[in-house]
Amino acid sequence: MILAQAMSSTALDTSDAETTFGSKLFATYIRAASIATTLFPLWTVLFTGMALKSPSSFAWFTTEYFTAALAALMLSMGITLKPEDFAKVAKRPNSVFIQFALCYAMMPLLALFLGKACGLDSALLAGVVLVGSINGGQASNLCTYIAKGNVALSVLMTTATTLGAIFMTPLLCKTLLGAIVPVDAVGIAMSTIQVVLAPIAVGMFLNKNFPKVVKAILPFAPVVGVVSTCLLVASAVAQVAEPIRNAGMSLQIPVLLLHLLGGLVGFILPKLLGFGEVACRTMAIETSMKSSAFGFLLAKLHFGQYAARVPSAVSVVWMALTGSMLAVIWRYIPVPQPKVFDRSLLEKYPPFQPKKMLKNMFVEKED
């Protein structure tokens, strides 16, 4: 009896020790993954340098792997979403609508202006406009977190522009570029559905029907996202390393300005419309950071000229650096929080009301 109790006690102690060790190991992994994820811009620069110096090192990362990596990124975003999230968008659509307009109206026109102002040839111009016409990138969610923005709103904005890319990207490319370079608008739409919409739908299905499985794999999603992003950046750069080096500053400057000015407008315009600091930071990062890797894939598959894919490869680098720069700056600028509820905030930052704004702009007040 005593021996049995001793054996039982020993087994329990061993089980507790294993549980404790496993918990410590998992906690160590979480901390390491958090640090690695936060430093993802550094990994982007390192992988870019390797790709420019030795393009053959990433020759194994073919189009099939490229497509799979993009799908993995979209899947990792999909498992964080539920159908109820879209109901939240319907309750507070103002910021999402504004950011959608910035993504698919302001950014394409800014890209077209910068490309022509810098004297880019037709193929490079097409590539720059494509970068301006694609959806927001998933890395924006991480940068929003670093910048103390609204991560949930960031995910919803990324999802909205990602779903919008199915019809907006082909429409913009055909409208703005149809007479410049051959564009397969139907092919772009089909690729968007396959690479973007389908993985998000699968992720949402898993999250709703297999929550325990999703909860178990969710801690590993950021690491998978960072690794996938670094490989996507390196692969895109490696495939056009020589054209990137030959293009010089005439291409670097418009691509950098596209992301930088996009972020500034994405912050200032919502501020003028009365949105709060947190929402403005979120919209700025969402507007600045495009899914450049997806743009590279579209240019590779559906644009007739080889050089059209070069701007997207340049963009993957500047997009990550610009977004991380905004995130780090805002991380050290605290968002002022009132000690008590200040009802005057409702007057300073009222809800965005388009009808009221237009009425104030165009209807003269009576004396």
Side-chain angles (χ1 to χ4, degrees):
M1 181 70 175
I2 296 176
L3 179 61
Q5 290 178 349
M7 292 177 64
S8 176
S9 177
T10 302
L12 289 173
D13 291 341
T14 302
S15 177
D16 291 341
E18 291 178 351
T19 302
T20 302
F21 176 76
S23 299
K24 290 182 177 179
L25 185 63
F26 185 72
T28 301
Y29 161 78
I30 293 297
R31 288 194 295 270
S34 177
I35 295 173
T37 303
T38 303
L39 294 176
F40 90 94
L42 174 61
W43 312 137
T44 301
V45 173
L46 292 176
F47 272 71
T48 300
M50 289 189 292
L52 287 173
K53 185 176 181 179
S54 179
S56 60
S57 300
F58 298 94
W60 61 273
F61 203 75
T62 60
T63 301
E64 288 75 16
Y65 288 116
F66 197 97
T67 304
L70 271 175
L73 285 176
M74 294 300 105
L75 179 63
S76 66
M77 185 172 69
I79 62 175
T80 67
L81 298 173
K82 297 179 180 179
E84 299 83 52
D85 294 326
F86 293 95
K88 294 180 182 178
V89 176
K91 293 180 181 179
R92 52 174 307 181
N94 297 340
S95 56
V96 177
F97 287 156
I98 291 296
Q99 201 280 318
F100 192 93
L102 289 170
C103 179
Y104 288 121
M106 186 274 290
M107 288 295 278
L109 294 176
L110 178 61
L112 184 63
F113 169 77
L114 291 172
K116 289 188 175 182
C118 292
L120 298 180
D121 61 45
S122 61
L124 292 178
L125 176 63
V128 172
V129 172
L130 174 63
V131 172
S133 303
I134 53 180
N135 56 289
Q138 193 217 18
S140 63
N141 307 146
L142 175 61
C143 286
T144 298
Y145 171 77
I146 297 173
K148 299 180 181 178
N150 188 329
V151 179
L153 181 61
S154 174
V155 172
L156 293 174
M157 287 178 174
T158 304
T159 304
T161 58
T162 298
L163 296 176
I166 296 173
F167 55 89
M168 290 302 298
T169 300
L171 176 64
L172 288 167
C173 288
K174 197 66 179 178
T175 302
L176 299 176
L177 301 174
I180 300 177
V181 294
V183 177
D184 181 6
V186 175
I188 291 177
M190 292 302 298
S191 293
T192 306
I193 292 173
Q194 294 170 3
V195 178
V196 175
L197 182 59
I200 287 179
V202 171
M204 292 178 61
F205 175 81
L206 292 174
N207 193 13
K208 181 179 181 180
N209 296 280
F210 303 96
K212 293 183 178 180
V213 175
V214 170
K215 185 178 180 180
I217 65 176
L218 201 57
F220 302 96
V223 176
V224 173
V226 169
V227 173
S228 298
T229 301
C230 289
L231 288 174
L232 288 168
V233 169
S235 174
V237 171
Q239 292 182 51
V240 288
E242 185 175 352
I244 288 176
R245 291 192 293 264
N246 294 337
M249 298 305 295
S250 63
L251 177 60
Q252 303 290 338
I253 290 176
V255 174
L256 169 60
L257 288 177
L258 175 63
H259 294 293
L260 186 59
L261 295 178
L264 292 176
V265 174
F267 179 82
I268 294 173
L269 181 60
K271 200 74 171 178
L272 294 175
L273 292 175
F275 287 94
E277 177 71 18
V278 173
C280 290
R281 293 183 183 188
T282 304
M283 282 187 271
I285 292 175
E286 282 293 319
T287 304
S288 174
M289 302 188 72
K290 291 281 194 171
S291 184
S292 306
F294 182 54
F296 180 84
L297 179 64
L298 294 180
K300 185 177 181 180
L301 294 176
H302 307 298
F303 277 42
Q305 299 185 32
Y306 174 86
R309 68 187 72 172
V310 178
S312 292
V314 174
S315 173
V316 293
V317 181
W318 287 120
M319 177 271 299
L321 292 178
T322 303
S324 62
M325 179 180 66
L326 292 174
V328 171
I329 291 174
W330 276 324
R331 183 177 182 85
Y332 294 99
I333 301 178
V335 178
Q337 297 288 342
K339 295 181 180 179
V340 296
F341 179 70
D342 184 2
R343 294 188 180 277
S344 67
L345 289 175
L346 296 176
E347 299 177 0
K348 295 177 182 177
Y349 304 106
F352 176 63
Q353 300 174 340
K355 292 183 179 179
K356 184 176 180 180
M357 183 185 72
L358 293 174
K359 183 178 179 180
N360 292 337
M361 290 175 60
F362 299 107
V363 178
E364 296 182 357
K365 295 182 178 180
E366 298 182 0
D367 294 331

